[in-house]
Amino acid sequence: MKLYRYLTEDDTAAFCHKVTAALNKGWHLHGNPSYAFDAARGIMRCGQAVVKDVPGTYTPETKLGDH
């Protein structure tokens, strides 16, 4: 099955660490990163989609972060 996750974080090193951790667990970048202003909090936010092929059948109970 193909899994999809969208990683988000404030525009800090924490975002890069989150994406790096996913890449080191076998996830692959999917598309371009996004960058947007969170007006409610007054900060910039980053986002990056990642995908991964794993054995099994998808169900809504699949824990994406466990893969």
Side-chain angles (χ1 to χ4, degrees):
M1 77 177 130
K2 184 174 289 276
L3 302 178
Y4 170 90
R5 292 177 66 194
Y6 188 70
L7 307 174
T8 62
E9 184 61 62
D10 294 348
D11 183 20
T12 66
F15 174 72
C16 295
H17 287 286
K18 185 181 278 191
V19 174
T20 299
L23 293 173
N24 280 281
K25 290 181 180 178
W27 293 84
H28 300 277
L29 299 177
H30 182 75
N32 295 322
S34 61
Y35 195 59
F37 183 69
D38 180 342
R41 295 179 54 216
I43 59 168
M44 295 302 291
R45 299 272 298 167
C46 300
Q48 175 65 58
V50 292
V51 294
K52 184 177 186 181
D53 289 314
V54 297
T57 303
Y58 172 78
T59 67
E61 290 77 34
T62 300
K63 303 291 185 204
L64 302 175
D66 291 346
H67 291 278

